[in-house]
Amino acid sequence: MDNSIIIGVGAAVLGIVIGFIIAKTLEKNKASKLIKEAKKDASIILKEAKSEGETIKKDKILQAKEKFIELKAEHEKVILSRDKKMAEAEKRTRDKESQVSNELSKSKKLNQSLDDKIKDYNHRLDVLDKKQGELDRLHKSQVQQLEVISSLSADEAKEQLVESLKGEAKNDALAFIQSSLEEAKLTAEQDAKKIIINTIQRIGTEEAVDNCVSVFNIESDDVKGRIIGREGRNIRAIEAATGVEIIVDDTPEAIILSCFDSVRREVARLSLHKLVTDGRIHPARIEEVVKKTKKQIEQEIIEVGKRTVIDLGIHNLNPELIKMVGRMKYRSSYGQNLLQHSREVAKLCGVMAAELGLNPKLAKRAGLLHDIGKVPDAEADMETPHAILGMQWAEKFGEKKDVCNAIGAHHDEIEMKSLLAPIVQVCDAISGARPGARRQVLDSYIQRLKDLEDIAFGFNGVKKAYAIQAGRELRVIVESEKVNDDKAADLSFNISQKIQTDMTYPGQVKVTVIRETRAVNIAK
């Protein structure tokens, strides 16, 4: 049993050894075949590489030869071009040399000719000197003979001749001056008339239509009751905030706004339009809308000033002056709109300056600004003549001296120092003197209303003052902290007495002093 196991195991081991040997032999044979095939493939690859290398080498040599030929051809072209340029330069040099030689020969000939002329000139000078000496000698002898004949010396004869010539020349000069002055007067008068007529004909004008009343149209009469408010509180709030008298009568679908100040009237009209459109009409809302409208009007004033200077072609005007020009839209002079009048004067000045050969742009500038003193900012400015005030503002905001002088001198407050001043004065007179331009009554009426308001502002504690009902009533709003109820009554009496003593007016003036106390708190 044990022997058979040992034999079996030995046979198995022997089989494994024999199998291993056979496998190694087969693997060796296979490896030798693979090596032979690899060597064969390597030899083939080497042959192909050598043949390909030879081909590449031949191609590169061929390309190098072609490149060499191209470079050689280009080099030959460059050499030929340089040779050609050198030949052209040599030709130009030869031409210049020949030209210079020709110029030199001409110069020699000219020099020779000049020398000949100089010699001839010197010879002639010698001859002339000899003849001049002979003439002087003959002149002296003739003068001596004349002195013997006339029994006068040469100096005495000369004095007599000069005196006679002076008399004749003086008479002729006086006659010529007189005729020239008469002709100049006629011509100057004709030219001046021609320039003024041409200037007026070329400017389109309008008649004065400004008044102190505006009509606010409404859709229905129901709106009137809302505007009046409970017991009239809304209409009183509007009048107190704007200073405009609101007249609500039987006129269908219309409310009349009465005030001499165009700005206040426009503020009231726009405020009413906003309130009616919005539908909320009560005192607090009224004050809010009026404040916003005043800011809107101020912005509109600036826009009007900008459009005006752009339309007239005036550049580099100070923003403050532009604002003053815009404010002239809401001012009038004897019923004539101040902005319209200033635009008209500016155009007249431009045309007249162009006719006279002066600077039309500078003349337009002076014509537009000549009445800016009529729109003062403060009460103190109203005491200064508007021409002087306008000149001071123009100087303050950097305008030229000629423009400032023209503004200040257009009513003869100062001396005229430039030609622009009489042009502005004449054009201002033309604009104001034409038929329909101004209404004297309206201006005096407006001045009376302003004087009424100024009297009220002269008392302490006065916050606002409005002249309404064509000057028959003065409504004064006081500060409740400074004026109590007793002082309000005294203030009303004092203002009425001041009006009686200082002003002349028809009828009666009612002075109403309003004192209002408000308590305002904010809930957060």
Side-chain angles (χ1 to χ4, degrees):
M1 184 74 178
D2 294 332
N3 291 331
S4 62
I5 291 171
I6 292 169
I7 292 169
V9 171
V13 171
L14 182 61
I16 291 168
V17 170
I18 292 169
F20 179 75
I21 293 169
I22 291 169
K24 284 290 183 180
T25 304
L26 290 173
E27 186 179 354
K28 187 175 182 182
N29 290 334
K30 188 177 180 181
S32 64
K33 285 181 181 180
L34 289 172
I35 289 169
K36 286 179 181 179
E37 289 177 0
K39 287 182 179 180
K40 187 177 179 180
D41 292 339
S43 63
I44 292 169
I45 290 169
L46 285 172
K47 286 180 181 180
E48 290 178 355
K50 285 181 180 180
S51 63
E52 189 175 353
E54 291 294 331
T55 305
I56 292 170
K57 183 177 179 182
K58 290 178 181 179
D59 290 340
K60 291 296 182 181
I61 291 170
L62 183 61
Q63 289 178 4
K65 287 181 178 179
E66 290 177 354
K67 188 67 176 178
F68 176 74
I69 292 169
E70 289 179 1
L71 291 173
K72 185 178 179 182
E74 290 180 359
H75 183 65
E76 288 177 352
K77 287 181 182 179
V78 171
I79 291 172
L80 289 173
S81 176
R82 287 181 179 177
D83 292 341
K84 186 177 180 181
K85 289 181 179 178
M86 288 178 66
E88 291 176 354
E90 289 177 355
K91 184 180 179 182
R92 287 197 298 270
T93 303
R94 287 195 297 271
D95 293 341
K96 289 288 184 182
E97 288 177 353
S98 62
Q99 186 178 358
V100 169
S101 62
N102 292 333
E103 292 293 335
L104 286 173
S105 62
K106 288 181 182 179
S107 179
K108 287 180 180 179
K109 290 180 180 178
L110 288 173
N111 288 333
Q112 185 64 35
S113 175
L114 184 62
D115 292 338
D116 295 339
K117 288 181 178 179
I118 289 172
K119 289 180 181 179
D120 183 54
Y121 176 73
N122 290 331
H123 176 69
R124 290 185 179 184
L125 282 178
D126 294 337
V127 173
L128 287 173
D129 290 338
K130 291 179 181 179
K131 288 184 177 180
Q132 185 66 35
E134 185 67 21
L135 285 173
D136 291 340
R137 187 180 61 78
L138 291 173
H139 178 69
K140 287 181 181 179
S141 64
Q142 287 179 355
V143 169
Q144 289 176 357
Q145 291 176 3
L146 288 172
E147 287 178 353
V148 172
I149 293 169
S150 62
S151 68
L152 290 173
S153 65
D155 294 335
E156 292 174 349
K158 189 185 295 183
E159 288 178 0
Q160 290 181 5
L161 180 62
V162 168
E163 289 295 330
S164 62
L165 289 175
K166 278 184 180 179
E168 292 178 3
K170 188 174 182 180
N171 293 331
D172 293 341
L174 289 173
F176 177 75
I177 290 170
Q178 186 65 29
S179 62
S180 299
L181 285 174
E182 291 176 358
E183 184 179 357
K185 286 179 181 179
L186 292 174
T187 307
E189 187 174 355
Q190 291 175 357
D191 290 343
K193 288 179 180 179
K194 181 180 177 182
I195 290 172
I196 292 173
I197 291 170
N198 288 338
T199 303
I200 295 172
Q201 288 176 343
R202 291 169 63 181
I203 301 297
T205 56
E206 299 177 359
E207 292 190 359
V209 294
D210 283 0
N211 51 41
C212 295
V213 175
S214 295
V215 178
F216 177 70
N217 297 313
I218 55 179
E219 295 180 356
S220 65
D221 290 338
D222 296 338
V223 180
K224 289 184 179 180
R226 294 167 57 195
I227 292 174
I228 294 171
R230 184 180 299 174
E231 298 178 357
R233 64 174 187 172
N234 290 345
I235 198 168
R236 286 197 302 272
I238 295 171
E239 289 179 346
T242 61
V244 175
E245 183 183 2
I246 312 295
I247 302 172
V248 182
D249 52 15
D250 296 334
T251 306
E253 298 181 355
I255 293 176
I256 298 173
L257 311 177
S258 175
C259 182
F260 69 93
D261 192 328
S262 303
V263 178
R264 292 188 203 166
R265 208 162 60 242
E266 185 68 9
V267 169
R269 189 185 67 80
L270 292 176
S271 300
L272 274 175
H273 178 73
K274 291 178 181 179
L275 289 168
V276 171
T277 304
D278 183 48
R280 294 176 295 167
I281 306 176
H282 52 83
R285 177 65 178 164
I286 288 168
E287 291 183 359
E288 179 185 353
V289 170
V290 169
K291 286 180 181 179
K292 290 182 179 179
T293 305
K294 286 180 178 179
K295 291 182 180 179
Q296 179 184 341
I297 290 292
E298 289 177 1
Q299 188 63 34
E300 183 181 347
I301 285 171
I302 296 172
E303 293 298 325
V304 168
K306 289 181 179 178
R307 286 199 301 271
T308 301
V309 297
I310 290 171
D311 291 343
L312 294 174
I314 297 172
H315 306 289
N316 300 324
L317 198 65
N318 189 279
E320 289 297 325
L321 293 179
I322 292 176
K323 187 176 179 180
M324 290 176 187
V325 171
R327 285 169 59 191
M328 288 195 290
K329 178 183 177 182
Y330 299 102
R331 293 289 186 275
S332 62
S333 176
Y334 299 100
Q336 185 181 28
N337 182 269
L338 195 57
L339 180 60
Q340 178 186 336
H341 166 64
S342 297
R343 287 173 64 100
E344 186 178 324
V345 172
K347 292 178 181 178
L348 288 168
C349 288
V351 175
M352 193 171 290
E355 292 288 341
L356 294 172
L358 302 176
N359 187 346
K361 291 185 178 180
L362 209 61
K364 279 185 180 180
R365 201 179 190 97
L368 178 65
L369 300 176
H370 80 285
D371 269 348
I372 57 173
K374 289 186 177 180
V375 285
D377 285 328
E379 297 292 331
D381 294 334
M382 298 181 69
E383 299 177 359
T384 307
H386 75 274
I388 302 299
L389 184 60
M391 180 186 69
Q392 292 173 356
W393 282 345
E395 290 174 348
K396 178 181 177 181
F397 297 118
E399 289 298 317
K400 293 185 178 179
K401 291 183 178 179
D402 291 348
V403 174
C404 297
N405 180 255
I407 295 171
H410 79 277
H411 284 314
D412 294 323
E413 274 87 359
I414 62 172
E415 181 185 357
M416 296 183 181
K417 296 182 180 179
S418 68
L419 290 175
L420 287 182
I423 290 176
V424 172
Q425 188 180 53
V426 169
C427 294
D428 181 42
I430 292 172
S431 175
R434 60 182 175 78
R438 294 182 173 183
R439 291 202 297 268
Q440 186 79 22
V441 177
L442 178 63
D443 193 73
S444 59
Y445 160 71
I446 291 174
Q447 187 61 43
R448 183 168 65 85
L449 299 186
K450 287 182 178 179
D451 293 341
L452 269 176
E453 293 183 354
D454 292 341
I455 287 175
F457 280 118
F459 290 86
N460 292 328
V462 175
K463 184 179 180 181
K464 296 178 183 178
Y466 301 125
I468 59 177
Q469 293 185 2
R472 291 189 294 273
E473 180 179 352
L474 179 63
R475 189 164 295 175
V476 181
I477 300 172
V478 298
E479 299 178 12
S480 58
E481 297 85 1
K482 295 182 179 179
V483 180
N484 57 27
D485 291 338
D486 295 334
K487 289 184 178 179
D490 294 339
L491 183 64
S492 175
F493 176 76
N494 293 333
I495 292 175
S496 64
Q497 293 300 312
K498 183 76 171 175
I499 293 172
Q500 287 181 11
T501 56
D502 292 357
M503 291 189 65
T504 302
Y505 53 92
Q508 297 177 345
V509 178
K510 178 182 177 183
V511 180
T512 304
V513 176
I514 301 171
R515 178 179 178 271
E516 183 181 24
T517 303
R518 294 188 184 185
V520 180
N521 289 290
I522 300 172
K524 298 182 180 178

